[in-house]
């Protein structure tokens, strides 16, 4: 019998595709199972983190689904992670980070030039 613990184990071992596929399969049979929904949300969170550095378009697709789940689940820890991911999905995030670092190091003109 598959359950949310198996989804979590797959995710934590870095087997995101398997975790994603299992979660989707389980949700087809149990669409309102809160444990499976939470496990699936954490898989989506991991995928978004990974794809935000590789494929921003794909990351945003998964992020949309994650946001819909997050609103449904009302999980504070998940909400916190969603809020941390949100800026990383902005195409100018790296520029903003660079400008912030320059500003922190007293290089105000260089930071302003980036903005």
């Amino acid at each position: 019998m598959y359950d949310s613990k198996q989804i979590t184990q797959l995710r934590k071992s870095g087997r995101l595709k398997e975790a994603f596929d299992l979660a989707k399969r389980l949700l087809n049979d149990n669409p309102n199972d809160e444990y499976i929904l939470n496990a699936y949300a954490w898989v989506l969170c991991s995928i978004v983190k990974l794809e935000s550095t590789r494929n921003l378009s794909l990351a945003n697709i998964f992020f949309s689904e994650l946001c819909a789940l997050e609103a449904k689940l009302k999980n504070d820890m998940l909400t916190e992670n969603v809020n941390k991911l949100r800026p990383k999905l902005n195409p100018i995030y790296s520029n903003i980070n660079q400008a912030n670092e320059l500003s922190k190091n007293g290089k105000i003109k260089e930071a302003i030039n980036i903005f």
Side-chain angles (χ1 to χ4, degrees):
M1 178 77 180
Y2 293 110
D3 63 6
S4 61
K5 289 179 184 177
Q6 287 179 296
I7 297 167
T8 301
Q9 287 174 338
L10 288 168
R11 176 181 59 84
K12 287 185 175 184
S13 68
R15 296 162 58 190
L16 295 178
K17 171 124 176 60
E18 291 174 67
F20 178 83
D21 291 343
L22 177 58
K24 289 295 260 187
R25 204 168 55 242
L26 292 174
L27 282 172
N28 281 336
D29 296 333
N30 308 292
N32 297 313
D33 185 307
E34 192 170 332
Y35 293 106
I36 296 171
L37 286 167
N38 269 295
Y40 180 53
W42 287 107
V43 169
L44 290 173
C45 197
S46 294
I47 291 171
V48 171
K49 283 179 189 174
L50 179 66
E51 292 300 334
S52 70
T53 62
R54 301 189 321 189
N55 184 335
L56 206 52
S57 296
L58 187 58
N60 274 299
I61 291 167
F62 285 108
F63 187 70
S64 293
E65 191 169 351
L66 175 61
C67 287
L69 272 178
E70 183 262 332
K72 181 178 182 178
L73 292 172
K74 304 290 187 215
N75 177 322
D76 290 341
M77 197 149 108
L78 183 61
T79 298
E80 183 179 324
N81 277 277
V82 166
N83 289 335
K84 286 179 183 176
L85 286 171
R86 194 174 308 280
K88 292 181 180 182
L89 299 175
N90 185 323
I92 61 169
Y93 176 73
S94 62
N95 292 342
I96 293 169
N97 265 355
Q98 183 183 10
N100 281 334
E101 286 303 312
L102 288 168
S103 177
K104 287 178 188 175
N105 293 321
K107 298 178 180 179
I108 305 301
K109 272 190 173 182
E110 291 95 334
I112 290 171
N113 286 336
I114 290 173
F115 284 111

